[in-house]
């Protein structure tokens, strides 16, 4: 018996050493076992020529090329690979061995990292709000707060999606990467306070989007490890899927020899700066699918020659299709936060509780400061610690005024504030919209993005209503008992919150006297931006790009509202559902070509509802 135990311990120790050495050997070992199809972009051998027929010389031709291995792109590529040859191109690296991505306690570190190899890419909208976009396989699921909740039934109906396929696709995602959270004490207090102010009923734990207060799902498991959309790639056929990381697509290539432009391939740059071309097969069913996100997809269309003609001409981009709506209608759900100081230690928690009101306001919460020993050893500002608002600036943004204002705000923040929590108030379905425009033709640079937060008075009024709700929560007996702090006045609550805020919006001395002013000057993002490629203006109802063939979009850029309280569940579902729709439709086309008739009614219904 002792010998058996010793043998087991030895084997465990050997496997642990092997895993440790593999993780330290370099970034190329992530694909050896579970993901053998993931490779560095420089390993790709491409043809050197491109013919007007849309085919490159050589054998590298794919049924589908998916640009962007993010929240939608990973499930999209995984299921398509069951029947078709698929190439997935991701500009970032892999998340699997990245501790900053993988663990809840390090949530804020990636968002505070503005280096070129970070999993997040920092940008500032023209509104002065600090923001981030994902740059890693798995996309936003690698850098978000992990909250998982489905879209409303209204959103599903409006999108024209088949409810059965949608439910099956949600379930497919949930079985693999979604968990029921262990509810933190702070989150229970938030629940009780929401119910006290009338955000009822309590719906318990549910993924569904229903009015009242609930606990939602999370992509963090019981050990605090993040499960991302990249893990959905494990369901792929490894013989039919190729995933290239550090593959930065420069533009879509078009065959212009026919009546309509036809997507034929893509030009991408590898991690060494070398250019490659990848092409679609000559089959009519083949497509390039853009899943670059609400910032990256309209940017990619513009760089590829699809957009407003005057903007393309200004940037000396050859026009493929004039479309004035590319980049229009950009929206972001404005968020404002109320800081709650504690006199007691508090467990770190991200989003677990949500209040879904009938006034178009969502209430969420976070608590604790989870900085680990591996963290950047400095104060990032409260927002960095709690909800990932960036508090470092790239060189181009380091104006003397911005630096001095930022340093002053950081000096004014007491260290004990990091032991507090936040009530997060977010506007559902903002009416205010803006636009995205190219700054230059370098795809690695952020475009100019404007969201026009609170431009519409209805959005501003909803923020005021939400802040009033949040201050009532903080003043409730549930909060005072938990925080061990005395009940505070509204002015004091707002003054503390203003000092904690980090953005580049100019401040006034009276921003706590007017709730409207408070909303405007403390506005933040929770990264739920969307739009830029709306249905009926840039894409058809089945998300095919208007004016060209063999080009489709599957990501949040087609949304005119962010689904549910948090969109990641629906974006992953969207990738999976799109795959099912596409696969069934292509099977139908194949059978028609073979002379097979008598398609079943169910298939016809699916096609009509795509």
């Amino acid at each position: 018996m002792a010998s058996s135990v010793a043998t087991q311990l030895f084997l465990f120790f050997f496997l642990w050493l092997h895993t440790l050495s593999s993780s330290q050997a370099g970034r190329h070992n992530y694909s050896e076992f579970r993901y053998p199809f993931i490779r560095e972009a420089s390993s790709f051998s491409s043809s050197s020529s491109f013919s007007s027929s849309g085919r490159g010389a050589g054998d590298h031709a794919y049924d589908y090329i998916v640009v962007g291995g993010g929240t939608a792109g990973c499930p999209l590529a995984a299921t398509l690979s069951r029947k078709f040859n698929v190439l997935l191109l991701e500009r970032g690296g892999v998340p699997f061995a990245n501790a900053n991505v993988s663990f809840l306690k390090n949530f804020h570190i990636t968002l505070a990292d503005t280096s070129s190899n970070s999993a997040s890419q920092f940008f500032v909208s023209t509104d002065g709000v600090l923001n981030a976009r994902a740059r890693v396989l798995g996309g936003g699921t690698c850098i978000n707060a992990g909250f998982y909740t489905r879209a409303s039934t209204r959103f599903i109906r409006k999108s024209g999606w088949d409810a059965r396929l949608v439910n099956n696709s949600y379930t497919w995602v949930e079985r693999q990467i979604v968990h029921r959270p262990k509810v933190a004490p702070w989150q229970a207090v938030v629940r009780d306070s929401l119910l006290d102010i009338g955000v009822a009923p309590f719906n318990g734990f549910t993924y569904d989007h229903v009015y009242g207060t609930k606990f939602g799902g999370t992509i963090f498991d019981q050990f605090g490890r993040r499960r991302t959309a990249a893990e959905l790639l494990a369901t792929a056929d490894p013989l039919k899927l190729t995933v290239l990381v550090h593959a930065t697509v420069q533009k879509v290539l078009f065959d212009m020899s026919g009546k309509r432009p036809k997507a034929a391939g893509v030009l991408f740059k590898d991690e060494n700066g070398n250019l490659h071309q990848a092409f679609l097969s000559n089959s009519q069913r083949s497509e390039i699918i853009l899943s670059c996100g609400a910032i990256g997809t309209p940017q990619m269309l513009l760089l590829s020659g699809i957009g407003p003609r005057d903007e393309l001409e200004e940037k000396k981009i050859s026009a493929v299709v004039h479309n004035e709506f590319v980049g229009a209608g950009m929206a972001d759900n404005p968020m404002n936060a109320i800081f709650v100081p504690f006199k007691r230690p508090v467990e770190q928690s991200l989003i677990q509780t949500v209040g879904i009101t009938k006034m178009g306001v969502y209430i969420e919460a976070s608590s604790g400061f989870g900085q680990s020993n591996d963290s950047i050893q400095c104060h990032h500002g409260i927002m960095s610690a709690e909800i990932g608002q960036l508090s470092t600036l790239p060189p181009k943004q380091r104006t003397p005024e911005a630096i001095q204002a930022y340093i002053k705000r950081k000096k004014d923040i007491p260290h004990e504030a990091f032991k507090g929590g936040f009530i997060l108030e977010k506007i559902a379905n903002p009416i205010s919209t803006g636009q995205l425009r190219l700054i230059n033709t370098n795809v690695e640079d952020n475009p100019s993005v404007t969201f026009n937060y609170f431009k519409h008075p209805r959005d501003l009024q909803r923020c005021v209503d939400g802040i009033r709700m949040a201050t009532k929560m903080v003043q409730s007996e549930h909060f005072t008992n938990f925080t061990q702090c005395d009940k505070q006045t509204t002015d004091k609550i707002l003054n503390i919150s203003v000092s904690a805020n980090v953005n580049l919006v100019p401040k006034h001395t009276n921003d706590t006297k007017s709730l409207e002013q408070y909303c405007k000057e403390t506005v933040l993002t929770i990264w739920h931006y969307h739009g830029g490629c709306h249905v009926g203006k840039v894409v058809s109802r089945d998300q095919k790009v208007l004016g060209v063939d063999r080009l489709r979009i599957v990501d949040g850029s087609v949304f005119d509202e962010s689904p549910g309280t948090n969109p990641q569940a629906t974006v992953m579902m969207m990738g999976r559902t799109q795959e099912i729709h596409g696969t069934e439709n292509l099977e139908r086309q194949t059978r028609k070509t073979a002379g097979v008739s008598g398609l079943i009614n169910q298939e016809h219904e699916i096609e009509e509802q795509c």
Side-chain angles (χ1 to χ4, degrees):
M1 181 68 179
S3 175
S4 175
V5 172
T7 301
Q8 291 179 13
L9 288 173
F10 174 79
L11 288 173
F12 176 82
F13 183 70
F14 174 81
L15 289 172
W16 177 78
L17 281 177
H18 175 74
T19 302
L20 181 64
S21 63
S22 294
S23 65
Q24 292 177 342
R27 62 184 181 181
H28 303 285
N29 290 313
Y30 47 72
S31 61
E32 290 181 358
F33 302 105
R34 198 177 184 196
Y35 310 97
F37 41 77
I38 301 179
R39 306 199 306 264
E40 290 288 339
S42 58
S43 68
F44 185 79
S45 176
S46 62
S47 59
S48 59
S49 63
F50 171 60
S51 68
S52 62
S53 65
R55 288 177 291 182
D59 299 325
H60 290 286
Y62 299 89
D63 297 318
Y64 290 92
I65 297 176
V66 180
V67 181
T71 307
C74 286
L76 180 63
T79 304
L80 283 176
S81 72
R82 295 176 306 169
K83 296 181 181 296
F84 307 105
N85 292 318
V86 181
L87 174 64
L88 175 61
L89 300 171
E90 166 55 42
R91 68 189 184 123
V94 296
F96 308 120
N98 187 333
N100 291 345
V101 167
S102 297
F103 297 104
L104 184 149
K105 66 182 180 180
N106 294 337
F107 162 65
H108 64 291
I109 301 177
T110 293
L111 290 157
D113 179 6
T114 58
S115 65
S116 60
N117 60 354
S118 172
S120 68
Q121 182 174 353
F122 170 73
F123 74 96
V124 183
S125 69
T126 63
D127 314 277
V129 174
L130 287 65
N131 215 317
R133 49 190 292 217
R135 182 171 50 197
V136 62
L137 189 67
T141 63
C142 297
I143 64 173
N144 65 19
F147 191 70
Y148 181 97
T149 182
R150 297 183 178 190
S152 66
T153 54
R154 177 195 60 80
F155 183 90
I156 302 302
R157 286 196 302 269
K158 187 184 78 167
S159 300
W161 293 335
D162 181 276
R164 177 184 61 84
L165 292 178
V166 165
N167 184 67
N168 290 343
S169 297
Y170 275 130
T171 303
W172 179 82
V173 173
E174 290 153 8
R175 281 199 308 262
Q176 297 180 75
I177 65 170
V178 185
H179 301 267
R180 182 170 181 165
K182 178 184 177 183
V183 178
W186 161 255
Q187 299 289 336
V189 171
V190 172
R191 171 201 60 193
D192 295 340
S193 300
L194 282 167
L195 293 174
D196 269 5
I197 65 172
V199 186
F202 177 54
N203 296 303
F205 170 77
T206 180
Y207 296 139
D208 294 335
H209 185 90
V210 287
Y211 289 121
T213 297
K214 72 166 190 173
F215 297 134
T218 179
I219 58 172
F220 289 103
D221 65 19
Q222 60 181 324
F223 304 108
R225 190 178 77 87
R226 183 190 292 273
R227 309 294 301 278
T228 76
E231 295 182 43
L232 300 176
L233 291 170
T235 64
D237 184 337
L239 300 179
K240 293 183 178 179
L241 176 63
T242 300
V243 178
L244 299 181
V245 293
H246 300 114
T248 305
V249 174
Q250 308 294 301
K251 63 180 179 179
V252 177
L253 303 173
F254 290 95
D255 173 6
M256 303 293 288
S257 62
K259 292 182 179 179
R260 280 164 57 99
K262 179 172 66 174
V266 295
L267 177 70
F268 69 92
K269 184 185 295 185
D270 66 25
E271 72 276 13
N272 299 321
N274 297 318
L275 292 173
H276 305 263
Q277 293 177 330
F279 297 102
L280 292 173
S281 68
N282 206 32
S283 169
Q284 289 184 346
R285 70 191 180 196
S286 297
E287 286 184 331
I288 291 172
I289 304 178
L290 300 182
S291 295
C292 311
I295 304 297
T297 289
Q299 180 188 27
M300 184 59 62
L301 285 182
L302 291 167
L303 292 173
S304 302
I306 300 176
R309 181 172 286 108
D310 56 350
E311 183 176 357
L312 299 177
E313 290 176 351
E314 179 187 343
K315 296 297 184 293
K316 296 180 171 54
I317 299 171
S318 298
V320 174
V321 171
H322 166 66
N323 188 326
E324 62 182 314
F325 298 110
V326 175
M330 295 293 299
D332 188 19
N333 300 74
M335 185 187 73
N336 296 79
I338 297 293
F339 175 61
V340 184
F342 295 172
K343 287 186 177 178
R344 52 175 286 179
V346 62
E347 177 184 345
Q348 183 193 16
S349 69
L350 298 179
I351 312 301
Q352 295 180 342
T353 307
V354 62
I356 301 174
T357 74
K358 293 185 177 180
M359 63 177 67
V361 172
Y362 301 140
I363 304 291
E364 299 174 344
S366 66
S367 66
F369 182 36
Q371 182 163 302
S372 71
N373 293 332
D374 300 324
S375 179
I376 304 168
Q377 297 300 310
C378 66
H379 292 293
H380 308 302
I382 293 177
M383 291 302 179
S384 284
E386 297 302 324
I387 56 172
Q389 298 298 317
L390 298 179
S391 53
T392 54
L393 297 176
K396 292 182 180 178
Q397 299 293 331
R398 292 173 185 168
T399 64
E401 295 80 7
I403 290 174
Q404 291 305 314
Y406 179 64
I407 290 173
K408 183 179 185 303
R409 285 197 295 273
K410 291 182 75 173
K411 285 181 178 178
D412 292 341
I413 298 172
H415 182 267
E416 56 269 22
F418 289 92
K419 297 179 181 178
F422 282 91
I423 304 298
L424 312 175
E425 172 271 332
K426 185 184 80 167
I427 302 302
N429 311 331
I431 304 170
S432 308
T433 61
Q435 66 282 329
L436 178 150
R437 294 289 180 262
L438 293 179
I439 294 176
N440 56 41
T441 57
N442 184 352
V443 70
E444 298 180 48
D445 290 344
N446 292 309
S448 170
V449 185
T450 303
F451 295 116
N452 287 324
Y453 298 105
F454 302 127
K455 183 176 182 180
H456 196 282
R458 174 65 181 134
D459 292 343
L460 187 58
Q461 183 57 51
R462 284 187 289 170
C463 177
V464 170
D465 294 339
I467 293 299
R468 285 176 177 151
M469 291 177 63
T471 54
K472 286 181 181 178
M473 291 173 64
V474 176
Q475 293 168 332
S476 72
E477 189 174 306
H478 299 289
F479 269 70
T480 55
N481 289 342
F482 182 81
T483 63
Q484 299 178 357
C485 294
D486 295 333
K487 184 176 179 179
Q488 300 179 30
T489 66
T490 298
D491 280 352
K492 187 172 182 181
I493 292 170
L494 296 181
N495 275 316
I496 295 173
S497 302
V498 167
S499 68
N501 181 263
V502 179
N503 66 27
L504 301 184
V505 179
K507 301 293 189 294
H508 293 76
T509 56
N510 64 340
D511 50 12
T512 63
K513 300 296 183 183
S514 162
L515 289 182
E516 288 83 0
Q517 198 69 34
Y518 179 87
C519 286
K520 291 178 181 178
E521 295 186 1
T522 65
V523 62
L524 300 165
T525 181
I526 200 165
W527 319 293
H528 296 168
Y529 45 82
H530 52 279
C533 297
H534 286 159
V535 174
K537 296 181 177 180
V538 178
V539 297
S540 62
R541 195 161 180 79
D542 57 357
Q543 296 162 229
K544 295 182 178 179
V545 177
L546 301 175
V548 300
D549 293 329
R550 305 208 301 178
L551 184 61
R552 192 188 300 261
I553 295 173
V554 180
D555 61 28
S557 68
V558 303
F559 293 157
D560 60 5
E561 64 175 283
S562 182
T565 61
N566 304 70
Q568 70 168 342
T570 301
V571 177
M572 284 188 280
M573 175 278 294
M574 183 184 182
R576 171 69 173 180
T577 302
Q578 185 67 43
E579 294 164 350
I580 294 173
H581 285 177
T583 305
E584 291 181 355
N585 287 338
L586 290 172
E587 287 175 341
R588 189 175 307 116
Q589 293 172 8
T590 302
R591 290 200 298 273
K592 284 181 178 180
T593 302
V596 179
S597 59
L599 301 178
I600 61 175
N601 292 332
Q602 181 183 14
E603 291 179 322
H604 177 70
E605 291 170 1
I606 292 172
E607 183 179 36
E608 291 299 317
Q609 294 174 353
C610 285

